[in-house]
Amino acid sequence: MNKIPLTVIIPVFNSEKYLDKLIKIITNEVAEIIICDSFSSDTTLEIARSHSLKIIQKEYINSATQKNWAIPQASQVWVWIIDSDELPELKLIEEIRDFINTVDSNIDMAFMPRKNLFWGEFMGKASAYPDYQSRLFRKSKGRYQNKEVHAQVEVPGKFIHLKNALIHDDFKDISSWWHRNNSYYKYELDECLKTGVKWSFKLQYVKPLYVFFRIYFLKRGYTYGFRGFFVAFQWLVYHFMVGAKLYENNLKNK
């Protein structure tokens, strides 16, 4: 079977835990794979070289900047961004193959759902499903928003939504999760300062409580026992800490 005429870009930094498995799934399916590395210090680059992949390197500023720098270096008309801790369902690969072969000229992008796992389990809507990600787009048309965190791709034309999903298995243990979130608090603070968001009672207290209520009750996280409670509670803490970082920044400026 012919390879899908698209470039997969995989942003990496110390991704040895995930990378080899992802590459083995897609390497015989797509025309090009580019590893966009932020100067890893583990065996990430050795893994990439063992598969004879193209490697590009740039110091990391934020996710959007890194990906926007990498996109023009793709050789194919269509680009698919996959994070190193994600794996495509096999049906997603076939769905993308059909999409690329039949897409209309007025379609510039395809959103794909993502299934987030917590301790290896998918919890449906309590895992934020369908959590649509803007990952497949025309190289000449798509660029990430100028945001410090949680940026999506913007295109001038139309888009569709695919049915099959990426599997996002980044939650391995509590320690690494909280350590990673500490970096995200900084990006969230930078985005608040860039967009003029001010500290408020609503931001600090109401939003975190609402996020917990939405995940645990409205999205039925309570049906997953402690796992569901933990996920809802950690997102409460996440948003509480974003407010706290903004409050702390105000104190420093005073």
Side-chain angles (χ1 to χ4, degrees):
M1 186 177 294
N2 294 331
K3 292 188 176 183
I4 307 171
L6 61 77
T7 295
V8 170
I9 297 176
I10 308 175
V12 297
F13 176 71
N14 290 347
S15 302
E16 62 183 6
K17 184 187 300 184
Y18 308 100
L19 188 59
D20 190 61
K21 186 175 182 179
L22 170 58
I23 293 172
K24 287 178 178 177
I25 289 176
I26 63 174
T27 189
N28 293 322
E29 303 290 343
V30 302
E32 181 182 41
I33 300 174
I34 297 177
I35 302 298
C36 181
D37 178 59
S38 303
F39 295 96
S40 295
S41 57
D42 63 359
T43 63
T44 293
L45 294 183
E46 294 176 28
I47 294 170
R49 292 187 183 110
S50 72
H51 292 277
S52 301
L53 300 182
K54 179 178 179 179
I55 299 171
I56 57 177
Q57 289 184 297
K58 183 181 185 299
E59 289 286 352
Y60 188 87
I61 299 174
N62 59 44
S63 178
T65 300
Q66 196 79 355
K67 293 170 183 175
N68 282 340
W69 173 77
I71 290 166
Q73 303 186 56
S75 67
Q76 302 295 305
V77 173
W78 284 86
V79 171
W80 182 10
I81 305 286
I82 310 178
D83 287 342
S84 62
D85 55 7
E86 297 171 336
L87 295 174
E89 293 179 330
L90 296 182
K91 288 184 178 180
L92 174 60
I93 296 175
E94 292 310 307
E95 186 177 12
I96 289 174
R97 184 188 301 276
D98 292 339
F99 170 78
I100 295 294
N101 289 335
T102 61
V103 61
D104 292 336
S105 60
N106 64 338
I107 302 295
D108 288 340
M109 182 168 64
F111 283 87
M112 57 192 65
R114 184 167 68 171
K115 296 178 179 178
N116 300 296
L117 307 185
F118 292 91
W119 282 305
E121 182 175 345
F122 173 56
M123 301 189 300
K125 290 184 177 180
S127 293
Y129 187 80
D131 191 23
Y132 282 113
Q133 301 293 311
S134 52
R135 298 298 187 81
L136 181 64
F137 51 90
R138 295 185 190 273
K139 180 184 75 170
S140 62
K141 300 293 183 68
R143 292 296 183 273
Y144 279 85
Q145 299 163 318
N146 182 26
K147 295 179 65 175
E148 299 297 322
V149 65
H150 306 314
Q152 292 277 17
V153 174
E154 295 180 324
V155 295
K158 296 181 179 180
F159 54 83
I160 68 163
H161 290 79
L162 302 178
K163 295 180 180 179
N164 295 288
L166 287 168
I167 306 299
H168 188 211
D169 191 14
D170 69 328
F171 186 93
K172 297 297 185 183
D173 58 72
I174 294 174
S175 295
S176 60
W177 180 261
W178 288 92
H179 178 73
R180 190 194 73 166
N181 276 358
N182 192 49
S183 299
Y184 272 77
Y185 301 149
K186 176 186 181 299
Y187 301 137
E188 293 277 12
L189 173 62
D190 291 343
E191 183 64 20
C192 287
L193 297 177
K194 180 192 293 185
T195 57
V197 173
K198 304 295 184 183
W199 183 92
S200 66
F201 181 91
K202 181 178 179 180
L203 177 70
Q204 185 67 72
Y205 300 106
V206 177
K207 184 175 181 179
L209 290 170
Y210 171 72
V211 167
F212 177 87
F213 178 82
R214 185 183 66 199
I215 296 173
Y216 193 66
F217 293 104
L218 298 183
K219 297 190 174 184
R220 298 172 60 83
Y222 62 86
T223 63
Y224 296 91
F226 175 74
R227 192 189 311 258
F229 178 86
F230 176 83
V231 170
F233 182 75
Q234 71 86 21
W235 280 116
L236 178 153
V237 173
Y238 181 94
H239 288 281
F240 182 85
M241 289 300 296
V242 172
K245 291 287 274 187
L246 190 55
Y247 181 85
E248 180 182 61
N249 184 76
N250 292 343
L251 290 178
K252 289 180 178 179
N253 288 336
K254 289 180 180 179

